[in-house]
Amino acid sequence: MQTNCTLLAKVVVNKKLNTYRVLFTFDAHNRITVRNAVLQTGDVCSTDYVHASVELTKVIQDGARQLRCANVAIVQ
């Protein structure tokens, strides 16, 4: 069953490892952190990777499918 609520996805850079991580939440009013995230990915790919945007798109689509949400908004 799909829901109509908006899922917020935030792409975070792990500065120690220079990798990307995606945090998912439904809370639009507070800061998005690892503690209040509904779902968090591991380190997706390196920041130097040429096709990083493709990998991040795949991860965001997988997160939306796991959380059964049709609307995804990417926040800064």
Side-chain angles (χ1 to χ4, degrees), residues 2 7 9 16 25 27 29 40 44 46 49 53 74 76:
Q2 293 286 334
L7 177 66
K16 196 181 280 187
T25 187
D27 188 9
H29 301 291
Q40 63 182 355
V44 178
S46 173
Y49 186 53
S53 62
I74 300 172
Q76 301 298 340

Side-chain angles (χ1 to χ4, degrees), residues 7 9-11 20-24 39-45 52-67 72:
L7 177 66
K10 180 178 180 183
V11 178
Y20 290 114
R21 171 182 285 180
V22 182
L23 303 175
F24 296 97
L39 176 69
Q40 63 182 355
T41 64
D43 296 327
V44 178
C45 62
S53 62
V54 175
E55 296 297 327
L56 291 173
T57 304
K58 288 179 188 176
V59 168
I60 291 171
Q61 289 174 352
D62 288 342
R65 192 174 329 114
Q66 284 180 358
L67 296 172
V72 178

Side-chain angles (χ1 to χ4, degrees), residues 17-34:
L17 299 174
N18 288 332
T19 56
Y20 290 114
R21 171 182 285 180
V22 182
L23 303 175
F24 296 97
T25 187
F26 293 106
D27 188 9
H29 301 291
N30 294 324
R31 249 178 91 190
I32 300 172
T33 62
V34 175

